[in-house]
mmCIF file of all heavy atoms in Angstrom:
data_model
loop_
_atom_site.group_PDB
_atom_site.id
_atom_site.type_symbol
_atom_site.label_atom_id
_atom_site.label_comp_id
_atom_site.label_asym_id
_atom_site.label_seq_id
_atom_site.Cartn_x
_atom_site.Cartn_y
_atom_site.Cartn_z
ATOM 1 N N LYS J 257 -5.590 -58.326 -5.864
ATOM 2 C CA LYS J 257 -5.057 -57.648 -7.029
ATOM 3 C C LYS J 257 -5.080 -58.623 -8.287
ATOM 4 O O LYS J 257 -5.403 -58.161 -9.348
ATOM 5 C CB LYS J 257 -3.701 -57.190 -6.684
ATOM 6 C CG LYS J 257 -3.171 -56.117 -7.725
ATOM 7 C CD LYS J 257 -1.882 -55.540 -7.259
ATOM 8 C CE LYS J 257 -1.315 -54.510 -8.219
ATOM 9 N NZ LYS J 257 -2.110 -53.275 -8.261
ATOM 10 N N ALA J 258 -4.681 -59.873 -8.041
ATOM 11 C CA ALA J 258 -4.704 -60.797 -9.226
ATOM 12 C C ALA J 258 -6.040 -61.150 -9.681
ATOM 13 O O ALA J 258 -6.259 -61.252 -10.848
ATOM 14 C CB ALA J 258 -4.003 -62.109 -8.728
ATOM 15 N N LEU J 259 -7.102 -61.166 -8.777
ATOM 16 C CA LEU J 259 -8.441 -61.413 -9.256
ATOM 17 C C LEU J 259 -8.998 -60.275 -10.011
ATOM 18 O O LEU J 259 -9.622 -60.449 -11.016
ATOM 19 C CB LEU J 259 -9.292 -61.684 -7.952
ATOM 20 C CG LEU J 259 -9.219 -63.014 -7.235
ATOM 21 C CD1 LEU J 259 -9.921 -62.990 -5.916
ATOM 22 C CD2 LEU J 259 -9.622 -64.048 -8.144
ATOM 23 N N ILE J 260 -8.723 -58.993 -9.550
ATOM 24 C CA ILE J 260 -9.188 -57.855 -10.421
ATOM 25 C C ILE J 260 -8.435 -57.796 -11.635
ATOM 26 O O ILE J 260 -9.159 -57.451 -12.715
ATOM 27 C CB ILE J 260 -8.875 -56.594 -9.453
ATOM 28 C CG1 ILE J 260 -9.822 -56.546 -8.236
ATOM 29 C CG2 ILE J 260 -9.203 -55.312 -10.417
ATOM 30 C CD1 ILE J 260 -9.601 -55.345 -7.377
ATOM 31 N N ALA J 261 -7.164 -58.076 -11.757
ATOM 32 C CA ALA J 261 -6.365 -57.982 -13.024
ATOM 33 C C ALA J 261 -6.937 -59.022 -13.976
ATOM 34 O O ALA J 261 -6.977 -58.730 -15.089
ATOM 35 C CB ALA J 261 -4.884 -58.222 -12.680
ATOM 36 N N GLY J 262 -7.348 -60.135 -13.520
ATOM 37 C CA GLY J 262 -7.813 -61.252 -14.275
ATOM 38 C C GLY J 262 -9.236 -60.918 -14.942
ATOM 39 O O GLY J 262 -9.532 -61.494 -15.982
ATOM 40 N N ARG J 263 -9.893 -59.863 -14.481
ATOM 41 C CA ARG J 263 -11.124 -59.462 -15.069
ATOM 42 C C ARG J 263 -11.076 -58.093 -15.711
ATOM 43 O O ARG J 263 -12.084 -57.502 -15.970
ATOM 44 C CB ARG J 263 -12.206 -59.450 -13.903
ATOM 45 C CG ARG J 263 -12.514 -60.716 -13.238
ATOM 46 C CD ARG J 263 -13.798 -60.572 -12.492
ATOM 47 N NE ARG J 263 -13.962 -61.842 -11.588
ATOM 48 C CZ ARG J 263 -13.856 -61.753 -10.273
ATOM 49 N NH1 ARG J 263 -13.586 -60.645 -9.677
ATOM 50 N NH2 ARG J 263 -14.077 -62.910 -9.723
ATOM 51 N N THR J 264 -9.891 -57.620 -15.899
ATOM 52 C CA THR J 264 -9.709 -56.283 -16.477
ATOM 53 C C THR J 264 -9.268 -56.368 -18.006
ATOM 54 O O THR J 264 -8.291 -57.106 -18.307
ATOM 55 C CB THR J 264 -8.634 -55.414 -15.807
ATOM 56 O OG1 THR J 264 -9.105 -55.341 -14.383
ATOM 57 C CG2 THR J 264 -8.517 -54.117 -16.259
ATOM 58 N N ASP J 265 -9.977 -55.681 -18.787
ATOM 59 C CA ASP J 265 -9.525 -55.662 -20.225
ATOM 60 C C ASP J 265 -8.545 -54.431 -20.383
ATOM 61 O O ASP J 265 -8.952 -53.345 -20.240
ATOM 62 C CB ASP J 265 -10.776 -55.358 -21.137
ATOM 63 C CG ASP J 265 -10.557 -55.491 -22.653
ATOM 64 O OD1 ASP J 265 -9.443 -55.161 -22.999
ATOM 65 O OD2 ASP J 265 -11.452 -55.952 -23.307
ATOM 66 N N GLU J 266 -7.327 -54.804 -20.628
ATOM 67 C CA GLU J 266 -6.299 -53.750 -20.618
ATOM 68 C C GLU J 266 -6.532 -52.771 -21.805
ATOM 69 O O GLU J 266 -6.080 -51.611 -21.692
ATOM 70 C CB GLU J 266 -4.889 -54.525 -20.870
ATOM 71 C CG GLU J 266 -4.472 -55.273 -19.593
ATOM 72 C CD GLU J 266 -3.218 -55.869 -19.728
ATOM 73 O OE1 GLU J 266 -2.512 -55.773 -20.907
ATOM 74 O OE2 GLU J 266 -2.685 -56.456 -18.854
ATOM 75 N N ARG J 267 -7.179 -53.202 -22.878
ATOM 76 C CA ARG J 267 -7.288 -52.367 -24.084
ATOM 77 C C ARG J 267 -8.339 -51.132 -23.722
ATOM 78 O O ARG J 267 -8.199 -50.080 -24.166
ATOM 79 C CB ARG J 267 -7.811 -53.044 -25.247
ATOM 80 C CG ARG J 267 -6.883 -54.097 -25.770
ATOM 81 C CD ARG J 267 -7.569 -55.016 -26.905
ATOM 82 N NE ARG J 267 -8.703 -55.692 -26.326
ATOM 83 C CZ ARG J 267 -9.608 -56.312 -27.012
ATOM 84 N NH1 ARG J 267 -9.483 -56.467 -28.346
ATOM 85 N NH2 ARG J 267 -10.510 -57.006 -26.377
ATOM 86 N N TRP J 268 -9.284 -51.494 -22.934
ATOM 87 C CA TRP J 268 -10.358 -50.565 -22.658
ATOM 88 C C TRP J 268 -10.495 -50.151 -21.115
ATOM 89 O O TRP J 268 -11.304 -49.335 -20.788
ATOM 90 C CB TRP J 268 -11.728 -51.055 -23.149
ATOM 91 C CG TRP J 268 -11.739 -51.475 -24.571
ATOM 92 C CD1 TRP J 268 -11.684 -52.691 -25.057
ATOM 93 C CD2 TRP J 268 -11.820 -50.510 -25.606
ATOM 94 N NE1 TRP J 268 -11.632 -52.750 -26.463
ATOM 95 C CE2 TRP J 268 -11.757 -51.327 -26.805
ATOM 96 C CE3 TRP J 268 -11.996 -49.178 -25.747
ATOM 97 C CZ2 TRP J 268 -11.796 -50.742 -28.111
ATOM 98 C CZ3 TRP J 268 -12.082 -48.618 -26.986
ATOM 99 C CH2 TRP J 268 -11.910 -49.404 -28.144
ATOM 100 N N ALA J 269 -9.674 -50.795 -20.358
ATOM 101 C CA ALA J 269 -9.544 -50.544 -18.894
ATOM 102 C C ALA J 269 -10.842 -50.664 -18.292
ATOM 103 O O ALA J 269 -11.268 -49.795 -17.534
ATOM 104 C CB ALA J 269 -8.971 -49.114 -18.696
ATOM 105 N N LYS J 270 -11.723 -51.675 -18.644
ATOM 106 C CA LYS J 270 -13.051 -51.818 -17.997
ATOM 107 C C LYS J 270 -13.130 -53.274 -17.599
ATOM 108 O O LYS J 270 -12.514 -54.171 -18.076
ATOM 109 C CB LYS J 270 -14.134 -51.430 -18.907
ATOM 110 C CG LYS J 270 -14.253 -52.219 -20.113
ATOM 111 C CD LYS J 270 -15.461 -51.807 -20.974
ATOM 112 C CE LYS J 270 -15.635 -52.593 -22.285
ATOM 113 N NZ LYS J 270 -16.723 -52.066 -23.094
ATOM 114 N N GLY J 271 -13.993 -53.541 -16.563
ATOM 115 C CA GLY J 271 -14.106 -54.978 -16.097
ATOM 116 C C GLY J 271 -14.748 -55.835 -17.109
ATOM 117 O O GLY J 271 -15.636 -55.494 -17.885
ATOM 118 N N LYS J 272 -14.269 -57.089 -16.976
ATOM 119 C CA LYS J 272 -14.899 -58.150 -17.832
ATOM 120 C C LYS J 272 -15.710 -59.022 -16.946
ATOM 121 O O LYS J 272 -15.582 -58.989 -15.712
ATOM 122 C CB LYS J 272 -13.709 -59.014 -18.438
ATOM 123 C CG LYS J 272 -12.891 -58.333 -19.371
ATOM 124 C CD LYS J 272 -11.860 -59.300 -20.153
ATOM 125 C CE LYS J 272 -11.020 -59.888 -19.073
ATOM 126 N NZ LYS J 272 -9.966 -60.686 -19.770
ATOM 127 N N PRO J 273 -16.743 -59.602 -17.494
ATOM 128 C CA PRO J 273 -17.571 -60.547 -16.645
ATOM 129 C C PRO J 273 -16.887 -61.655 -15.970
ATOM 130 O O PRO J 273 -15.772 -61.968 -16.466
ATOM 131 C CB PRO J 273 -18.657 -61.088 -17.615
ATOM 132 C CG PRO J 273 -18.492 -60.388 -18.942
ATOM 133 C CD PRO J 273 -17.151 -59.672 -18.899
ATOM 134 N N GLU J 274 -17.438 -62.178 -14.925
ATOM 135 C CA GLU J 274 -16.780 -63.302 -14.248
ATOM 136 C C GLU J 274 -16.754 -64.532 -15.205
ATOM 137 O O GLU J 274 -17.582 -64.748 -15.956
ATOM 138 C CB GLU J 274 -17.557 -63.603 -13.058
ATOM 139 C CG GLU J 274 -16.941 -64.680 -12.218
ATOM 140 C CD GLU J 274 -17.719 -64.891 -10.845
ATOM 141 O OE1 GLU J 274 -18.708 -64.203 -10.592
ATOM 142 O OE2 GLU J 274 -17.390 -65.841 -10.095
ATOM 143 N N ALA J 275 -15.635 -65.289 -15.126
ATOM 144 C CA ALA J 275 -15.386 -66.449 -15.936
ATOM 145 C C ALA J 275 -16.468 -67.407 -15.644
ATOM 146 O O ALA J 275 -16.814 -67.895 -14.452
ATOM 147 C CB ALA J 275 -14.040 -67.091 -15.674
ATOM 148 N N LYS J 276 -17.131 -68.010 -16.795
ATOM 149 C CA LYS J 276 -18.200 -68.957 -16.610
ATOM 150 C C LYS J 276 -17.902 -70.102 -17.460
ATOM 151 O O LYS J 276 -18.588 -71.214 -17.292
ATOM 152 C CB LYS J 276 -19.581 -68.376 -17.012
ATOM 153 C CG LYS J 276 -20.028 -67.183 -16.218
ATOM 154 C CD LYS J 276 -21.367 -66.692 -16.693
ATOM 155 C CE LYS J 276 -21.841 -65.486 -15.790
ATOM 156 N NZ LYS J 276 -23.103 -64.920 -16.379
ATOM 157 N N TYR J 277 -17.021 -70.085 -18.405
ATOM 158 C CA TYR J 277 -16.782 -71.265 -19.390
ATOM 159 C C TYR J 277 -15.341 -71.643 -19.406
ATOM 160 O O TYR J 277 -14.454 -70.771 -19.374
ATOM 161 C CB TYR J 277 -17.325 -70.797 -20.772
ATOM 162 C CG TYR J 277 -18.709 -70.195 -20.670
ATOM 163 C CD1 TYR J 277 -18.917 -68.860 -20.902
ATOM 164 C CD2 TYR J 277 -19.750 -70.975 -20.409
ATOM 165 C CE1 TYR J 277 -20.174 -68.270 -20.804
ATOM 166 C CE2 TYR J 277 -21.098 -70.511 -20.336
ATOM 167 C CZ TYR J 277 -21.297 -69.104 -20.589
ATOM 168 O OH TYR J 277 -22.570 -68.624 -20.429
ATOM 169 N N LEU J 278 -15.148 -72.874 -19.498
ATOM 170 C CA LEU J 278 -13.843 -73.477 -19.432
ATOM 171 C C LEU J 278 -12.962 -73.050 -20.487
ATOM 172 O O LEU J 278 -11.656 -72.798 -20.335
ATOM 173 C CB LEU J 278 -13.928 -74.903 -19.215
ATOM 174 C CG LEU J 278 -12.534 -75.749 -19.119
ATOM 175 C CD1 LEU J 278 -11.863 -75.349 -17.811
ATOM 176 C CD2 LEU J 278 -12.825 -77.232 -19.185
ATOM 177 N N GLY J 279 -13.401 -73.149 -21.751
ATOM 178 C CA GLY J 279 -12.579 -73.092 -22.922
ATOM 179 C C GLY J 279 -12.200 -71.720 -23.418
ATOM 180 O O GLY J 279 -11.393 -71.610 -24.416
ATOM 181 N N THR J 280 -12.822 -70.638 -22.967
ATOM 182 C CA THR J 280 -12.488 -69.322 -23.412
ATOM 183 C C THR J 280 -10.990 -69.039 -23.331
ATOM 184 O O THR J 280 -10.435 -69.111 -22.176
ATOM 185 C CB THR J 280 -13.269 -68.236 -22.670
ATOM 186 O OG1 THR J 280 -14.698 -68.522 -22.726
ATOM 187 C CG2 THR J 280 -13.062 -66.850 -23.252
ATOM 188 N N GLY J 281 -10.423 -68.716 -24.427
ATOM 189 C CA GLY J 281 -8.959 -68.481 -24.457
ATOM 190 C C GLY J 281 -8.035 -69.560 -24.667
ATOM 191 O O GLY J 281 -6.902 -69.500 -24.836
ATOM 192 N N SER J 282 -8.615 -70.934 -24.613
ATOM 193 C CA SER J 282 -7.924 -72.050 -24.768
ATOM 194 C C SER J 282 -8.256 -72.820 -26.128
ATOM 195 O O SER J 282 -7.327 -73.478 -26.578
ATOM 196 C CB SER J 282 -8.046 -73.037 -23.590
ATOM 197 O OG SER J 282 -7.474 -72.435 -22.438
ATOM 198 N N TYR J 283 -9.540 -72.762 -26.423
ATOM 199 C CA TYR J 283 -9.986 -73.580 -27.679
ATOM 200 C C TYR J 283 -9.610 -72.816 -28.837
ATOM 201 O O TYR J 283 -9.796 -71.506 -28.892
ATOM 202 C CB TYR J 283 -11.471 -73.865 -27.592
ATOM 203 C CG TYR J 283 -11.959 -74.644 -26.423
ATOM 204 C CD1 TYR J 283 -13.323 -74.813 -26.049
ATOM 205 C CD2 TYR J 283 -10.967 -75.314 -25.569
ATOM 206 C CE1 TYR J 283 -13.682 -75.519 -24.969
ATOM 207 C CE2 TYR J 283 -11.437 -76.153 -24.518
ATOM 208 C CZ TYR J 283 -12.832 -76.255 -24.204
ATOM 209 O OH TYR J 283 -13.144 -77.128 -23.175
ATOM 210 N N ARG J 284 -9.229 -73.422 -29.920
ATOM 211 C CA ARG J 284 -8.916 -72.878 -31.255
ATOM 212 C C ARG J 284 -9.643 -73.640 -32.352
ATOM 213 O O ARG J 284 -9.769 -74.848 -32.301
ATOM 214 C CB ARG J 284 -7.290 -72.937 -31.492
ATOM 215 C CG ARG J 284 -6.492 -72.174 -30.535
ATOM 216 C CD ARG J 284 -6.626 -70.698 -30.787
ATOM 217 N NE ARG J 284 -5.708 -69.948 -29.951
ATOM 218 C CZ ARG J 284 -5.996 -69.451 -28.769
ATOM 219 N NH1 ARG J 284 -7.351 -69.501 -28.350
ATOM 220 N NH2 ARG J 284 -5.348 -68.718 -28.009
ATOM 221 N N CYS J 285 -10.064 -72.850 -33.276
ATOM 222 C CA CYS J 285 -10.747 -73.370 -34.418
ATOM 223 C C CYS J 285 -9.868 -74.192 -35.317
ATOM 224 O O CYS J 285 -8.778 -73.805 -35.727
ATOM 225 C CB CYS J 285 -11.454 -72.291 -35.227
ATOM 226 S SG CYS J 285 -12.248 -72.847 -36.828
#
Side-chain angles (χ1 to χ4, degrees):
K257 195 171 180 67
L259 288 169
I260 293 177
R263 297 195 189 108
T264 300
D265 189 327
E266 296 180 355
R267 297 171 298 173
W268 303 101
K270 64 181 180 181
K272 295 188 293 188
E274 185 176 355
K276 297 180 181 179
Y277 310 107
L278 179 64
T280 304
S282 296
Y283 298 168
R284 296 285 184 267
C285 174

